[in-house]
């Protein structure tokens, strides 16, 4: 599976990003539904709001993964797929830290959140750079 994830074959990269985007979208919808129906009355409003921020950025970047998948076909030699890996890391670190913080109350997890946010920013910058250089 490792070779599949790090492939340079554009068709395989499209598949990897589409699957990742679909999986993260599914997980984002599930997390949002879980929060709305299972957590809202069990958390403080502050912790619920933190969880919701995690879900929001999770979904934004799950959809961005789908856009990356389609961009690979438009710009196959650009390296735009690297942005998808940054988005995956961002979802795991940014949203994951917010989910865990809101569920456990462990405030130290908030120190990880900016690392995930930086991954999101790197992903967007990578798109700008990789597509821009192919113009």
């Amino acid at each position: 599976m490792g070779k599949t994830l790090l492939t340079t074959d554009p068709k395989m990269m499209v598949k990897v990003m589409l699957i990742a985007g679909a999986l993260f979208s599914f997980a984002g919808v599930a997390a949002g539904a879980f929060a709305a129906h299972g957590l809202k009355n069990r958390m403080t409003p502050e912790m619920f709001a933190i969880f919701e921020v995690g879900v929001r950025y999770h979904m934004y970047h799950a959809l961005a993964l789908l856009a990356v998948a389609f961009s690979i076909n438009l710009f196959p030699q650009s390296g735009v797929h690297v942005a998808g890996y940054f988005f995956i890391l961002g979802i795991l670190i940014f949203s994951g830290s917010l989910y865990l913080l809101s569920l456990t109350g462990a405030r130290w997890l908030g120190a990880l959140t900016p690392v995930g946010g930086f991954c999101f920013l790197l992903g967007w910058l990578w798109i700008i750079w990789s597509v821009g250089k192919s113009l």
Side-chain angles (χ1 to χ4, degrees):
M1 178 120 182
K3 281 187 173 181
T4 302
L5 290 177
L6 300 177
T7 183
T8 57
D9 174 39
K11 285 186 180 184
M12 186 56 72
M13 285 188 287
V14 169
K15 289 179 184 179
V16 168
M17 292 301 151
L18 276 173
I19 290 170
L23 283 171
F24 278 109
S25 294
F26 175 88
V29 171
F34 175 66
H37 300 290
L39 296 178
K40 191 168 189 171
N41 296 326
R42 296 179 185 188
M43 292 181 148
T44 65
E46 177 191 8
M47 290 295 137
F48 187 75
I50 290 170
F51 196 95
E52 283 188 315
V53 169
V55 171
R56 185 176 334 125
Y57 281 84
H58 180 151
M59 284 303 302
Y60 290 157
H61 291 88
L63 295 173
L65 282 167
L66 298 175
V68 166
F70 291 106
S71 297
I72 292 167
N73 280 331
L74 294 173
F75 307 99
Q77 302 304 317
S78 70
V80 71
H81 68 285
V82 174
Y85 295 118
F86 283 125
F87 293 152
I88 290 168
L89 282 174
I91 292 168
L92 294 172
I93 299 169
F94 182 90
S95 296
S97 66
L98 292 180
Y99 295 152
L100 290 172
L101 183 146
S102 63
L103 291 169
T104 67
R107 295 265 180 202
W108 67 268
L109 289 163
L112 297 175
T113 307
V115 175
F118 187 65
C119 289
F120 289 150
L121 292 170
L122 286 175
W124 292 112
L125 287 173
W126 194 275
I127 291 171
I128 295 165
W129 177 77
S130 63
V131 174
K133 72 177 179 152
S134 68
L135 295 177

